Amino acid sequence: MSNPSLLILPGDGIGPEVMAEVRKVIDWFGANRGLTFDVSEDLVGGAAYDAHGTPLTDETMAKAQQVDAVLLGAVGGPKYDKLDFSVKPERGLLRLRKEMDLYANLRPAQCFDALADFSSMKKEIVSGLDIMIVRELTSGIYFGEPRGVFKDGNERVGLNTQRYTESEIARVARSAFELARKRSNKVCSMEKANVMESGVLWRDVVTEIHDAEYPDVELSHMYADAGAMQLTRWPKQFDVIVTDNLFGDMLSDLAAMLTGSLGMLPSASLGSPMENGRPKALYEPVHGSAPDIAGTGKANPCASILSFAMALRYSFDQGDEATRLEQAVEKVLADGVRTADLMQAGDGTPATTVEMGQAVIAALDASL
Ligand code: IPM
Ligand code: MG
């Protein structure tokens, strides 16, 4: 049987630096755990625009469809701010999500013990926090038609459309319930059913799927604005949160910040199973391209490394090896290794991106 395949798309800003460390981790699993991957690399985002005039070529799109998993760094940067909307770096990422039909975006917000002091929240509110946001990723107002900026009489009108079909809601609800069963068996669904018809349908369909297929899971509903408030008031009341594309975008940033360490958080975007039974999948850090620190060696590679751990778990059925990698990262933190984002002024000299990568490899060695 051939090796499983990975496509690495480092992208822009700090993307290439952090993905270089991920590559070393991938090689470690090949050398030490018999998990050998066929790895290829390609361009996405501004890097692809610079080379080809488009943030994602058709060839790269086709490759992404063929591999077992895509690992992405980050896209975007001020250099590309003035580009036409249709070729902005972000369009490359959105095309990958849409054409691979990656409808379930898993965004864990986990507070690492060693970092609880870093949160802007009181320690007792966030220590031990471990929630999973499941964001619908291929529909809603991000993709709904009609959309655009139009002329209407004497003025321009900006238009986007929030649109959800029953089946789109049902499939992401199932993803959330399935995950909940492997965690604390609790799902909170968030929408604005008080204001939006699409929210009314969302609530109905989530309830129907629950009652018919997952009656054992505890289900609650919250308006998304109240959800934001509850997330800051007492986030530990949540286990799995399922929500739409736009609310999920905002609530996941909020949840990420609760943990105090955006540089630590991974994500998985999953679609339907391919012929080999693996879900279509793209893994990426929650953080962006951080152009202000690109090339300085300050970037924290942990979020991308932990995204590869999610790949081991969700694409390659290697839950134990995923745990090994997650524990290696936790050990490094417990040992006091810190990149600049995990330090305050006066804390001493931060580890560089490469040093953090080396520390994770050393912890992996120690795990054998
Ligand atoms: C995210 C980002 C993206 C989004 C951007 C880069 C298109 O904010 O992954 O959360 O809005 O979905
Ligand atoms: Mg976002």
Side-chain angles (χ1 to χ4, degrees):
M1 236 173 62
S2 58
N3 296 324
S5 53
L6 292 173
L7 173 63
I8 298 188
L9 302 174
D12 306 322
I14 60 173
E17 297 156 58
V18 295
M19 294 314 285
E21 299 314 305
V22 174
R23 203 129 188 188
K24 294 175 195 166
V25 171
I26 295 170
D27 291 345
W28 186 92
F29 279 91
N32 295 282
R33 305 302 301 159
L35 286 172
T36 307
F37 296 93
D38 289 336
V39 184
S40 54
E41 264 194 44
D42 215 324
L43 302 174
V44 70
Y49 178 81
D50 288 340
H52 305 294
T54 166
L56 187 75
T57 64
D58 292 343
E59 291 72 35
T60 311
M61 186 64 241
K63 253 193 245 174
Q65 296 282 20
Q66 279 151 22
V67 292
D68 290 310
V70 178
L71 306 180
L72 188 133
V75 294
K79 189 179 155 195
Y80 308 105
D81 280 352
K82 296 226 158 55
L83 285 185
D84 185 72
F85 190 76
S86 62
V87 289
K88 277 195 188 300
E90 291 78 5
R91 302 309 307 171
L93 176 57
L94 292 167
R95 182 176 175 198
L96 283 163
R97 289 175 179 172
K98 187 67 179 172
E99 291 192 21
M100 293 171 75
D101 200 20
L102 305 171
Y103 59 86
N105 180 213
L106 279 45
R107 297 191 165 187
Q110 195 193 344
C111 183
F112 293 85
D113 270 350
L115 302 176
D117 285 329
F118 263 88
S119 175
S120 50
M121 314 290 283
K122 289 192 203 104
K123 193 169 176 174
E124 67 265 24
I125 293 185
V126 295
S127 76
L129 181 69
D130 181 8
I131 59 188
M132 177 72 89
I133 298 196
V134 180
R135 166 190 177 191
E136 198 293 323
L137 201 61
T138 51
S139 185
I141 203 159
Y142 269 58
F143 296 99
E145 299 280 349
R147 64 186 298 163
V149 178
F150 306 102
K151 198 87 182 167
D152 185 8
N154 298 333
E155 61 172 356
R156 288 167 303 160
V157 177
L159 177 68
N160 289 92
T161 302
Q162 166 85 340
R163 179 179 193 275
Y164 269 107
T165 65
E166 225 177 318
S167 52
E168 286 168 343
I169 301 168
R171 64 182 185 172
V172 74
R174 286 194 182 95
S175 302
F177 289 128
E178 291 290 338
L179 269 168
R181 277 187 176 159
K182 296 187 194 129
R183 297 170 51 97
S184 311
N185 222 30
K186 222 164 69 171
V187 171
C188 181
S189 169
M190 296 188 187
E191 27 54 20
K192 287 277 292 176
N194 51 344
V195 182
M196 300 164 71
E197 286 79 0
S198 64
V200 174
L201 183 71
W202 182 281
R203 189 176 284 222
D204 285 351
V205 174
V206 170
T207 306
E208 286 158 19
I209 297 290
H210 169 264
D211 295 353
E213 300 171 33
Y214 301 91
D216 53 299
V217 179
E218 190 186 316
L219 171 66
S220 59
H221 303 272
M222 242 180 231
Y223 298 138
D225 55 343
M229 182 190 59
Q230 290 298 334
L231 265 171
T232 48
R233 191 184 68 83
W234 187 241
K236 284 186 242 178
Q237 70 187 280
F238 298 111
D239 180 31
V240 174
I241 293 174
V242 64
T243 189
D244 78 9
N245 204 341
L246 183 60
F247 292 139
D249 181 44
M250 295 188 284
L251 293 170
S252 65
D253 264 23
L254 192 160
M257 223 36 228
L258 293 175
T259 71
S261 38
L262 197 52
M264 296 298 303
L265 297 177
S267 77
S269 304
L270 306 176
S272 301
M274 300 183 282
E275 258 168 42
N276 60 15
R278 295 186 175 118
K280 278 263 166 76
L282 180 146
Y283 299 87
E284 58 176 320
V286 166
H287 65 67
S289 61
D292 52 320
I293 59 163
T296 64
K298 284 191 189 153
N300 183 352
C302 289
S304 295
I305 290 173
L306 291 172
S307 297
F308 176 61
M310 289 187 92
L312 288 171
R313 178 171 289 116
Y314 294 110
S315 283
F316 303 111
D317 212 11
Q318 294 285 341
D320 290 347
E321 298 303 329
T323 302
R324 176 192 299 278
L325 180 51
E326 287 158 356
Q327 285 176 348
V329 171
E330 267 174 60
K331 175 173 186 302
V332 165
L333 293 178
D335 289 349
V337 183
R338 297 279 186 278
T339 40
D341 56 309
L342 307 178
M343 296 178 78
Q344 267 142 6
D347 274 355
T349 316
T352 63
T353 311
V354 171
E355 286 164 352
M356 182 56 106
Q358 280 163 347
V360 173
I361 297 282
L364 282 170
D365 283 338
S367 78
L368 291 175

